[in-house]
Amino acid sequence: MTQQGAVLQGYNNELVKCIEDLCMQKEELNKQIQQAEEEKNKLQHEIQVLSEQLECVCENLDQKVASRNELDKILAETEAAYMKILDSSRTLLNVLKKEVGSLKRMPELKTN
């Protein structure tokens, strides 16, 4: 019977060692899970911060694009008006040259 007790005691010791090993593995796994959860929370916070920054940059970009589009419109209208002024100035100059030419042909303006 002592031999059976010794075998049983050996099994018990081995069982206790296996249980202790499993408990140590569980503790290690719990540490890894906690670290992973902390990393996950950190990354989620960074994503939130970056999302807010992205939203601000997008709003700012939209405002700048709208301003640029308005400036493009103003420039196009100004250039068109300026071209009309140039065209009118050219027409006026041509009319003035004609009138001056006509005046030179009048008898009383001719020099003797």
Side-chain angles (χ1 to χ4, degrees):
M1 184 87 147
T2 57
Q3 185 179 9
Q4 290 175 341
V7 171
L8 186 58
Q9 184 64 35
Y11 289 155
N12 187 46
N13 289 342
E14 198 173 328
L15 183 59
V16 168
K17 185 177 180 331
C18 286
I19 290 172
E20 287 175 351
D21 287 346
L22 288 174
C23 286
M24 288 176 53
Q25 287 178 4
K26 179 184 172 188
E27 286 179 32
E28 180 61 31
L29 193 55
N30 279 337
K31 287 179 188 177
Q32 292 174 1
I33 289 171
Q34 184 178 0
Q35 289 173 345
E37 286 176 346
E38 288 172 0
E39 181 69 15
K40 175 187 154 197
N41 290 336
K42 177 185 168 195
L43 291 173
Q44 284 179 330
H45 177 72
E46 289 176 9
I47 288 171
Q48 182 180 356
V49 168
L50 290 173
S51 293
E52 290 170 3
Q53 289 176 347
L54 177 62
E55 186 178 336
C56 288
V57 167
C58 287
E59 288 175 7
N60 188 288
L61 179 62
D62 289 344
Q63 290 173 352
K64 287 181 180 184
V65 167
S67 293
R68 182 191 63 196
N69 291 343
E70 185 63 26
L71 285 174
D72 284 344
K73 179 182 170 189
I74 291 169
L75 279 169
E77 291 172 354
T78 302
E79 287 174 353
Y82 184 68
M83 292 307 291
K84 286 181 182 179
I85 290 170
L86 286 178
D87 190 46
S88 295
S89 294
R90 184 175 33 92
T91 302
L92 178 61
L93 181 60
N94 289 337
V95 169
L96 185 60
K97 283 180 180 179
K98 264 188 189 177
E99 291 298 320
V100 168
S102 295
L103 287 175
K104 285 184 180 177
R105 281 187 251 130
M106 293 179 91
E108 61 268 6
L109 291 179
K110 288 185 180 178
T111 54
N112 291 338

